[in-house]
Amino acid sequence: MAAHPLLLDTSTPAPQSKKDRYKPMQPKFASIRANARNVPTPPPAPPPVPTVAKENPYAAAAASASAETGFEGAPRERVGRSLRFNPKGKYVSMANQVRQDAQLEALKQRIAESARKAGLDGEFDTLEKNIRVRLFLLLILLHNLIDIL
């Protein structure tokens, strides 16, 4: 009785390192081993082509700049920007202004509805002008108060 072809393999096994220990093993079928033997050898690599060193125009500019200043690549001091904070209460005053505008608009709506019910449309125009004047004066007053604070 003849021995199995895999048992007759006399090639030395690859050295086992810690990295190779966890890699999957290559199959040892007869057809795969025969194909591995029939692989043509790769042609020799072509000789390296000598490269011509070109002058870097940027390096030449840097060298001339360093000759003028005496420093080679010395970093410049970085100037930081100062922090600009919003004034205290800026958004609070803006929110109060929006609330006052909304209240004024609601008041105008109520006055307009009551004037329509009473049939005083002509007087409503005069009333609206008075409200606008008062609103304008109120805005000027608020603006002056904000400047004072």
Side-chain angles (χ1 to χ4, degrees), residues 13-68:
Q16 286 282 332
S17 67
K18 287 187 178 182
K19 289 182 183 177
D20 294 336
R21 186 178 302 163
Y22 299 108
K23 289 183 180 177
M25 292 180 62
Q26 294 292 331
K28 294 185 179 180
F29 300 117
S31 60
I32 292 175
R33 296 192 57 81
N35 289 339
R37 276 185 249 133
N38 293 334
V39 172
T41 58
V49 178
T51 57
V52 178
K54 295 181 182 178
E55 258 190 62
N56 186 349
Y58 300 108
S64 65
S66 67
E68 293 171 7

Side-chain angles (χ1 to χ4, degrees), residues 3-136:
H4 193 272
L6 292 178
L7 294 174
L8 296 176
D9 186 20
T10 59
S11 65
T12 58
Q16 286 282 332
S17 67
K18 287 187 178 182
K19 289 182 183 177
D20 294 336
R21 186 178 302 163
Y22 299 108
K23 289 183 180 177
M25 292 180 62
Q26 294 292 331
K28 294 185 179 180
F29 300 117
S31 60
I32 292 175
R33 296 192 57 81
N35 289 339
R37 276 185 249 133
N38 293 334
V39 172
T41 58
V49 178
T51 57
V52 178
K54 295 181 182 178
E55 258 190 62
N56 186 349
Y58 300 108
S64 65
S66 67
E68 293 171 7
T69 61
F71 293 106
E72 241 181 82
R76 285 188 241 156
E77 265 314 299
R78 184 181 179 281
V79 179
R81 291 186 294 178
S82 62
L83 298 174
R84 289 180 285 157
F85 295 104
N86 288 324
K88 187 174 182 179
K90 172 184 176 181
Y91 293 106
V92 173
S93 63
M94 288 172 62
N96 289 334
Q97 182 69 35
V98 170
R99 285 188 202 103
Q100 285 180 347
D101 291 343
Q103 286 175 351
L104 189 61
E105 288 298 321
L107 179 64
K108 282 184 185 180
Q109 290 291 341
R110 280 187 277 149
I111 293 171
E113 287 175 17
S114 63
R116 281 189 213 116
K117 288 179 185 176
L120 302 173
D121 289 335
E123 293 178 13
F124 178 69
D125 294 332
T126 307
L127 182 63
E128 187 176 352
K129 287 180 186 177
N130 288 339
I131 290 174
R132 284 184 186 168
V133 169
R134 288 182 183 169
L135 175 64
F136 181 71

